[in-house]
Amino acid sequence: MKKILVTGGTGYIGSHTVVELQAAGYDVIIIDNLSNSNESVVDGIERISGIRPLFVRLDCNDTDGLRSLFTAHPGICGIIHFAASKAVGESVRLPLMYYRNNIVTLLNLLELMQEFGVEGIVFSSSCTVYGQPDLLPVTEDAPVKPAMSPYGNTKQISEEIIRDAIHAGLPFRAVILRYFNPIGAHPSAEIGELPNGVPQNLVPFITQTAAGIRPELQVFGSDYDTPDGSCIRDYINVVDLSKAHVTAMNRMLENKSDQPMETFNLGTGRGLTVLELINAFEQSTGVKVPYRIVGRREGDIEKVWANPEHANKVLGWTAQTSVEDTLISAWKWQQKLGRQQ
């Protein structure tokens, strides 16, 4: 059984990916510092899959701790690297924290991959590397533009670091996955997006507002060049997204590509405005969401959605879950959280 290390594995996308990795027969080790997650997520993973992954509380900034982990668990053949700070607005306020958490941690892992003979890494990147694209939908060939936020810049720099390391001859492979906007929860409602404190992402803010936890949702901007003036994003179901990581890992470990580094966009190919997403939530669940339109938020891109044809063709992966079913899953998860409180 091949052993995979998942950094940030109790986080939102990480936890869903652990479920899919275990279903595919991988032996999974999770590390997470729990800065934006909870160890109880491991219980949810076990309830879904019937397998409890090994969890180690560890910060990827801790080089000695990482080295001890690799020593104690020999034979790790692949890494999926999720561990990072991930909010655009927060990164504008706290840039140094973002550069440390998102870049130093990657450097630590790449050095240890070389030291311990890890075959490859699947890297969690973002559509923010494209900035505001000239052409939509955006393909992997679109130019990487100057980042509009420190968060986006950390993803650009991280991709460059991986590319330079491979170009220099470091003996590992890499798959870069550029996400668009993951939303929703596992259909079992055993795991979902569980931010600590005030949510930084849109859908948990919608569900918390619908549940009465937040008095209202703020919509940032009404004067963008979009059908209703709010930003457009490509919203992808988190389980669909997680399955792409397993496919990418399989491809990398089986050496199915003649390229040591590949890049894929992961999205639906459809853009929705923020107001359209709120309306879809209300129509799908029958629950109203009080919201107020406020000024633009620094660092936000006006509109972006994916051309996922490269991932469809090469990985054999497609996003399959409708936005309506995805929003229902997010609401079921929020309702479960409410019952547990």
Side-chain angles (χ1 to χ4, degrees), residues 293-308:
I293 297 175
V294 298
R296 294 186 180 192
R297 180 174 59 181
E298 188 177 2
D300 276 345
I301 295 166
E302 179 174 84
K303 50 190 171 184
V304 63
W305 64 92
N307 181 334

Side-chain angles (χ1 to χ4, degrees), residues 95-155:
L96 298 184
M97 181 185 83
Y98 270 68
Y99 286 113
R100 177 175 296 280
N101 285 349
N102 295 9
I103 294 175
V104 174
T105 55
L106 175 64
L107 292 171
N108 289 341
L109 285 170
L110 294 178
E111 289 171 346
L112 289 167
M113 285 176 65
Q114 185 179 18
E115 182 177 337
F116 287 90
V118 179
E119 295 176 42
I121 184 169
V122 175
F123 179 68
S124 169
S125 192
S126 166
C127 65
T128 57
V129 302
Y130 298 116
Q132 179 56 63
D134 296 322
L135 297 174
L136 290 167
V138 64
T139 70
E140 291 83 356
D141 295 327
V144 173
K145 293 189 171 184
M148 297 180 68
S149 69
Y151 166 73
N153 202 28
T154 66
K155 293 302 183 182

Side-chain angles (χ1 to χ4, degrees), residues 18-45:
V18 170
V19 168
E20 299 303 325
L21 284 168
Q22 292 189 153
Y26 286 105
D27 182 16
V28 179
I29 301 171
I30 294 173
I31 59 173
D32 203 303
N33 67 0
L34 304 181
S35 62
N36 194 35
S37 62
N38 192 292
E39 190 174 348
S40 64
V41 170
V42 181
D43 298 330
I45 293 170

